[in-house]
Amino acid sequence: RPGEGDLRGAATFWPEKRAETAMRATAVTAQVFLGTAVQCTQCHNHPFNEWKQNQFWELNAFFRQTDIERVESDSNRRGIARVVDRDFAGEGGDPSKAEIYYELRNGKLKVAYPVFVDGTSLAVKYADKGEDFGDSGYLANVNRRQELAQMVVASPLFSQAIVNRMWSHFMGYGFTKPIDDIGPHNAPSHPELMDKLAQSFKDSSYALRELQRWIVLSDAYALDSRMTRQNDKDDPSLGTKPMFSHFYLRQMQAEQLYESLLTATGAADALTYDQREEAKQRWLAQFNTAFGNDENGEATTFNGSIPQVLMMMNGELIRRATSVDSGSFLARVAGDSKLNNAEKINYLYMAALARQPERDEIALSNQLLAVRKGDVPAALQDIWW
């Protein structure tokens, strides 16, 4: 948790996904870091691609030495979780050959040892070095999770998955849809570009900021969002593959809108970190939908429904953001003697929309000032809302 001396944010990935013999960790690791959707193969071979049931459980075997140690905290009753590695005796009870078992659809049990998705077996890898304990569950012999991390980073799937995810983040669509299911069954829209970016990303020692810089300085990112006769057929929202012939308009995510409101309005300046996080999670909970599938995850639905519109118009966050109480954002703008009324209106437009008001917006703002009969804070509150 924030404030703890040995905090490692990445470690929270594990406690959240450790349950059920690390099945979620297996599926999400493959999705996020390898761009492969394998969650359904825990029960059967994938019906639409080349992934087999044994590959899921062989990947799962890498996680079996890793556990969670929960420690009570004097400062916080919620306690602390630490990720720890421990010897694994295997489901057969022999740590020297720490196997796991999985069941086929016909009820037959099969055994699995750590094998990466490209077929690299720990047993073979260690045998090539003259050592015969690649399947061992003893940490002194082999740390399976460290071995997995090295194999993930060495895999060409890793750089492709990150590039695809980052491209989707900035451009609205990735080279594949969905972005976490790359393979021969789901060909990318621009394979040469994806491969070039993936290789350059690897050559840069996986520098995310470099990758982000390449994307946002690209011609594709700089394109206008307006369609023309030449590109009006390029509309991925209709199910076609994106050609990136223009920039695709898209709605803010709920998290982006929330943080933007706080940045623009200072609505949470007086809150502590814990209070801000609690308020944020409470606000986002209005849009989160839990769904029962193999990943047991959540989706954020933020699509302009009537309840969401009403919340945006009248919710607690908007009330705080449009407050004219002493010390609020609007009170500071209204009380700034260095700005005339027109400049105060310009200030609000720049803060909210990063642009100057247009002519009809200036006219409407002046009407609000007139209706409020010189009550500048009240008029600015109307404009800001």
Side-chain angles (χ1 to χ4, degrees):
R1 289 182 295 102
E4 297 295 335
D6 60 350
L7 170 70
R8 293 183 63 186
T12 60
F13 176 87
W14 178 252
E16 188 184 62
K17 298 168 177 63
R18 172 64 183 85
E20 298 179 345
T21 61
M23 286 193 292
R24 283 197 67 209
T26 305
V28 177
T29 296
Q31 273 190 294
V32 173
F33 298 111
L34 299 171
T36 58
V38 300
Q39 61 270 20
C40 74
T41 60
Q42 60 188 272
C43 300
H44 51 79
N45 293 338
H46 202 292
F48 306 121
N49 62 42
E50 71 277 14
W51 298 109
K52 306 300 182 184
Q53 186 181 6
N54 65 292
Q55 291 178 291
F56 179 92
W57 292 105
E58 289 165 349
L59 185 63
N60 176 265
F62 282 97
F63 293 100
R64 294 304 188 92
Q65 289 173 320
T66 308
D67 208 343
I68 303 165
E69 181 181 73
R70 299 200 178 275
V71 184
E72 286 299 323
S73 169
D74 294 334
S75 61
N76 192 313
R77 290 298 178 187
R78 288 178 295 177
I80 300 170
R82 287 193 175 91
V83 178
V84 295
D85 291 318
R86 293 176 174 149
D87 291 339
F88 173 55
E91 294 181 348
D94 180 5
S96 65
K97 290 287 185 181
E99 78 279 27
I100 64 173
Y101 296 99
Y102 63 97
E103 187 175 346
L104 301 180
R105 299 189 76 173
N106 61 10
K108 184 178 180 180
L109 283 181
K110 298 284 285 185
V111 67
Y113 295 99
V115 180
F116 192 56
V117 295
D118 64 359
T120 302
S121 163
L122 277 192
V124 174
K125 179 180 177 181
Y126 275 73
D128 290 343
K129 297 187 293 185
E131 299 166 338
D132 63 353
F133 47 71
D135 289 333
S136 172
Y138 289 116
L139 285 171
N141 292 336
V142 56
N143 186 314
R144 294 183 176 187
R145 190 160 58 99
Q146 287 183 5
E147 292 283 353
L148 175 61
Q150 293 168 7
M151 290 179 178
V152 166
V153 175
S155 171
L157 294 173
F158 174 70
S159 52
Q160 289 181 353
I162 303 303
V163 161
N164 202 24
R165 189 174 295 276
M166 282 291 98
W167 187 270
S168 173
H169 173 78
F170 287 106
M171 308 296 288
Y173 294 91
F175 297 117
T176 65
K177 185 179 181 180
I179 59 172
D180 50 16
D181 189 17
I182 302 172
H185 61 285
N186 189 21
S189 60
H190 297 69
E192 297 89 351
L193 176 56
M194 187 172 80
D195 289 345
K196 174 67 175 176
L197 281 173
Q199 185 60 49
S200 299
F201 179 50
K202 181 179 180 180
D203 293 343
S204 74
S205 297
Y206 306 106
L208 273 176
R209 291 195 180 200
E210 282 296 301
L211 174 60
Q212 292 166 356
R213 185 177 292 111
W214 299 333
I215 294 173
V216 300
L217 293 180
S218 69
D219 290 344
Y221 189 78
L223 290 173
D224 198 302
S225 61
R226 287 174 292 189
M227 290 188 183
T228 65
R229 289 181 179 178
Q230 287 72 36
N231 62 27
D232 60 0
K233 299 292 190 296
D234 179 13
D235 187 356
S237 66
L238 299 179
T240 60
K241 282 190 175 183
M243 301 312 298
F244 305 107
S245 62
H246 61 95
F247 196 85
Y248 304 121
L249 288 176
R250 61 186 187 272
Q251 184 173 302
M252 271 187 173
Q253 298 174 359
E255 294 89 342
Q256 292 171 326
L257 177 62
Y258 183 86
E259 295 293 349
S260 296
L261 284 169
L262 295 193
T263 300
T265 67
D269 287 353
L271 302 180
T272 66
Y273 175 87
D274 286 343
Q275 289 172 332
R276 283 184 60 157
E277 284 300 301
E278 184 180 351
K280 178 180 178 178
Q281 295 308 317
R282 191 167 56 246
W283 193 83
L284 293 176
Q286 302 170 93
F287 314 115
N288 288 342
T289 304
F291 45 89
N293 63 6
D294 294 332
E295 298 168 77
N296 215 16
E298 283 188 341
T300 301
T301 304
F302 193 67
N303 53 9
S305 64
I306 290 177
Q308 290 172 15
V309 171
L310 291 173
M311 179 280 305
M312 285 296 299
M313 293 170 65
N314 308 306
E316 172 63 20
L317 178 61
I318 301 301
R319 188 194 65 78
R320 291 204 315 270
T322 57
S323 169
V324 292
D325 294 342
S326 177
S328 68
F329 169 77
L330 279 178
R332 293 196 300 271
V333 175
D336 191 336
S337 58
K338 297 179 182 178
L339 301 176
N340 59 37
N341 289 344
E343 291 170 331
K344 291 174 181 177
I345 293 169
N346 285 348
Y347 191 98
L348 296 186
Y349 270 85
M350 288 298 295
L353 303 175
R355 64 169 175 81
Q356 298 284 345
E358 297 175 356
R359 184 176 299 176
D360 57 338
E361 293 169 334
I362 293 174
L364 182 58
S365 298
N366 288 331
Q367 290 177 29
L368 288 170
L369 280 169
V371 169
R372 289 294 188 177
K373 299 178 180 179
D375 187 346
V376 174
L380 292 180
Q381 186 179 41
D382 291 338
I383 296 167
W384 191 230
W385 179 83

